[in-house]
Each structure stands twice: as structure tokens, then as C-alpha cells.
Amino acid sequence: MRALWGETRALWDKGRALWGETSAPASPRPGWRDWALVGVLVPAAVLEGVLRPDVPSRALSLVVGVGLIPTLLWRRTKPLLMVAIAFGTLLFTQVWMLVLGGGQPGLNMMVYMLLLPYALFRWGSKREAMLGLPVILVPAVLSVPLTSTGPGDAIAGLAILFASMALGEALRFRAYARARQLEQVKLVEREQLARDLHDTVAHHVSAIAIRAQAGLAVSATDPAAAGEALRVIETEASLTLAEMRSMVRVLRRADERAGLAPLPLVADLHDLRGVGAGPAVDVEITGDVAGLAPALSTAVYRLVQESVTNARRHARHASRIEVRVAAGEQSVHLRVSDDGDAVHPRSGSSPGYGLLGMAERAGLLGGSLSAGPNPGRGWTVTAVLPRNGSAS
């Protein structure tokens, strides 16, 4: 009995979770494709209603068939309302013609209504889908006896209807899975950046502690040395505060401890030339990179490292990878370019997770990153990071 109660409670909780699931994000207003679809369907429905000789209840069929086409414009933003309007209208006309004894109105062009159940399960919430399902099925099932549809045609029609809803649910799940993957990529990049910042903060705090001990040791015999120690402590404390503010902006809490290995800096980019197989890497560094904040210098290294790894992994027939880092007074510019094939695997419609993570890191430091194919051959990644390294 207790096990049965536990299973019932679990099903109840699962049902409540589904009932409270939010809608999938959708475009706030109809796009040009929606208007183009309506622009094609309206004249097509009118032509069928006028020219087709066997249209039942011709006037009513025209009004319903053409009048429901605009529901497609808001099928993403208000799927349940559009389903209720469209299928509710069908149910009303079915009952109305049943009372009058006439044939059931309808046009072949009204197959466009399959887009509404699809949209309900694709962009609506679970609550809306559960409320809209009977609204869809009642007129669909009622039309079978009213139109004297054979069993085979009835089963095929219902199968198509359920297939449209299943397709919407499948694409909805796929969209949520991709969104979760993107969030995971961003989370991993934030955690990595937070660990890097944690290491730089630990370095500054260690310097403060050492200088404080030295100042205490010489304060009685050498006040000038003690004053110099205080000035160094002030500088280190300011840097520590800046790094901690950046870290807080990146993550509210870092759960993983920083590693013991020293953080790579811009000067370590030359080591990438001998790491891994593939195209040769040419590194050129200009400007005052020694004066960069450790967090910024490490971020530049990470971005270049990821770009070189992507080029070695994806740039087909590439023979050379150029790395250019220029440190100016206000910002640091980096550029990683390869000479691979013009058709690049990463140049598809959706960016790779590596590029998304790189863009996330650059954005957290107040900078920007872009990537794309070159006019001739190859692929280029460029980024600009402010020297203060502050997160936005």
C-alpha cells in the first residue's frame, strides 16, 4: 500500500511539474515568412472556393477557410488562443450545419490548420498543450461521422494530426536540449574564468602578507622601509579588489578549488608552436604585454589556445596558423587566422560550442569576439579586450 501511494505521489508531482512548465521562447511578432505564407494561402483558398465545383456550403466554406488563415500569424506567440479560435470555429460550423441539415463546410486548402497543433506543442507550454488537445480532437473526431468518412481515411487523418503534434513536441525537446548544452558551455567557461581569477587574487594576497610581515619586522629600525612596504600593500590591495570584483561578476560562488599549476600568460603563447600536430603556428606579440593584469593575460592565452586548437582540428588542408597579439594603451587585440579551405566546418548556421565559450569569456571581461571565414581561404578569429579587464 505504501509503495502504491509513493508511485501515485510521484505521478502527481510529475503532472504538476508538466502543468507548470513555461512556454518555449518565440518571436514577439509575425515575421515576413508568416506574412508570405498568408499571402499565398488567401488567394489559393479563394480560388478553390470559387472554382471547385463540389465545395459543400460554398459561402460558409469560403468564409471559414479564408477567415482562419490569419491565425497562422500568431501561432507562435499565442498558440492556445489560435487553436481555440480555429478549431472552435470548426466545431461551431459542424454543429450549425448539423442543425440545418447541410453538408459540412470545408476546403482542401484548410490542411494549413495542421500548423496550429504543431505550433501548440512546439511553442506552447505543457499546460496549454493539455488544454488544447481536447479542443483539437473534438471537432476532428466529430467530423468523421458527419462527413461519412471511411475507417481508413479517418485513421489516416487522425494519424496525420497526431504526427503534426508529435513533430512539434520533438522539435521542442531538441530546442531545449540545445539550450541546455549552450548554458552548460557558458557555465564551464565562467567556472574556468573564475578559477583563473581566483589564482590571481591568491597571488596578490600572498604578496600583501609577505610585505606586511616585512614592514612589521623593520618598522622599529627603518621607518622608510616600513612606509615602502605599506605603499606596496596599497597597490596589491587595489589590484586584489579589482580582481575580486571581476570574479564576483563572473560567478557568485566558485565551488571548485584552483589548481596548483601556474596560470599561462601571453608570453607563453610561443609554447603553442610545439604543441600538437597539424599546421605550423606563427606567433607574433607586440606592445607592452608584460604590464597586463594576470587575469587579462590569461584570458588572451585561453582565447588564442582555443582558436589554435579549433584550427588544427577543423581547418582542412591548412598549412599555417598565424597568431597576432597587439597590446595597446586601452585594449588588447588578438587575431588567429588559418589558410585552410574556404568551406569551413565551423561556418554553418549555428556556431560551435567552442566559439560560444570563447565569446562568453570575452564578454565577461568587457570585450568582444568574432569569427568567420576569410574572403579567400581560411578562417579568422578576432577579439578585443580592454586592458582594465573589467567584466561587463
Side-chain angles (χ1 to χ4, degrees):
M1 187 68 180
R2 182 176 299 176
L4 180 61
W5 169 253
E7 293 178 0
T8 304
R9 183 66 179 272
L11 290 175
W12 172 258
D13 293 339
K14 187 175 182 179
R16 289 183 60 185
L18 290 176
W19 184 261
E21 183 180 332
T22 58
S23 303
S27 175
R29 59 181 180 273
W32 68 268
R33 292 184 179 86
D34 300 314
W35 290 102
L37 178 63
V38 171
V40 171
L41 289 177
V42 169
V46 171
L47 287 176
E48 181 187 355
V50 173
L51 301 179
R52 182 179 151 199
D54 59 340
V55 175
S57 306
R58 187 178 303 275
L60 184 58
S61 294
L62 265 172
V63 172
V64 174
V66 176
L68 293 181
I69 292 177
T71 58
L72 299 179
L73 295 174
W74 295 278
R75 67 186 186 277
R76 297 186 185 90
T77 54
K78 300 182 182 298
L80 179 59
L81 179 59
M82 296 302 104
V83 164
I85 292 175
F87 286 87
T89 301
L90 283 184
L91 180 61
F92 174 78
T93 57
Q94 287 173 349
V95 175
W96 177 259
M97 296 309 296
L98 180 63
V99 173
L100 296 181
Q104 296 300 311
L107 301 174
N108 293 332
M109 286 300 302
M110 291 185 67
V111 69
Y112 66 78
M113 291 188 61
L114 288 173
L115 294 175
L116 297 176
Y118 164 82
L120 177 63
F121 281 81
R122 172 62 179 87
W123 288 288
S125 65
K126 292 297 184 183
R127 179 185 306 180
E128 291 174 333
M130 287 186 280
L131 291 175
L133 185 59
V135 178
I136 296 171
L137 293 180
V138 169
V141 173
L142 187 61
S143 65
V144 175
L146 293 179
T147 57
S148 301
T149 304
D153 292 338
I155 293 174
L158 291 176
I160 294 174
L161 180 62
F162 278 104
S164 69
M165 293 185 284
L167 179 61
E169 181 65 27
L171 293 182
R172 175 191 180 93
F173 177 81
R174 180 181 178 183
Y176 270 114
R178 176 168 176 81
R180 287 194 295 268
Q181 287 178 320
L182 296 181
E183 288 301 320
Q184 183 65 25
V185 168
K186 293 182 178 180
L187 178 60
V188 169
E189 194 63 32
R190 291 186 178 210
E191 290 176 347
Q192 179 64 45
L193 182 55
R195 289 194 294 270
D196 293 344
L197 289 170
H198 178 274
D199 285 350
T200 61
V201 170
H203 169 77
H204 293 311
V205 171
S206 298
I208 290 173
I210 293 173
R211 288 291 182 171
Q213 293 172 357
L216 289 174
V218 300
S219 59
T221 59
D222 192 352
E228 178 63 23
L230 289 175
R231 283 189 291 272
V232 173
I233 289 173
E234 180 185 12
T235 302
E236 294 290 341
S238 299
L239 292 174
T240 302
L241 182 59
E243 299 288 357
M244 290 184 66
R245 284 173 176 170
S246 297
M247 184 165 57
V248 170
R249 290 189 183 100
V250 175
L251 287 177
R252 292 185 178 180
R253 183 180 63 185
D255 293 327
E256 297 186 28
R257 299 180 60 184
L260 298 178
L263 290 175
L265 303 176
V266 173
D268 299 317
L269 288 175
H270 294 286
D271 298 336
L272 295 177
R273 293 178 294 187
V275 177
V281 179
D282 179 33
V283 179
E284 180 180 313
I285 303 173
T286 59
D288 180 22
V289 295
L292 297 178
L296 176 60
S297 187
T298 299
V300 172
Y301 179 90
R302 300 291 191 199
L303 294 176
V304 172
Q305 181 186 41
E306 181 70 18
S307 300
V308 171
T309 301
N310 285 341
R312 283 175 165 164
R313 187 176 298 167
H314 300 291
R316 293 177 298 180
H317 307 123
S319 61
R320 180 184 178 86
I321 301 174
E322 291 186 353
V323 176
R324 300 292 182 262
V325 177
E329 295 183 359
Q330 302 296 329
S331 60
V332 179
H333 297 251
L334 66 91
R335 181 177 183 273
V336 180
S337 179
D338 62 68
D339 60 352
D341 291 345
V343 180
H344 203 287
R346 291 169 292 161
S347 60
S349 59
S350 58
Y353 294 130
L355 290 176
L356 289 171
M358 293 161 61
E360 178 74 6
R361 176 181 284 263
L364 290 170
L365 292 174
S368 61
L369 182 140
S370 61
N374 300 328
R377 290 176 57 85
W379 183 274
T380 297
V381 176
T382 58
V384 179
L385 301 176
R387 284 192 71 108
N388 57 18
S390 60
S392 58

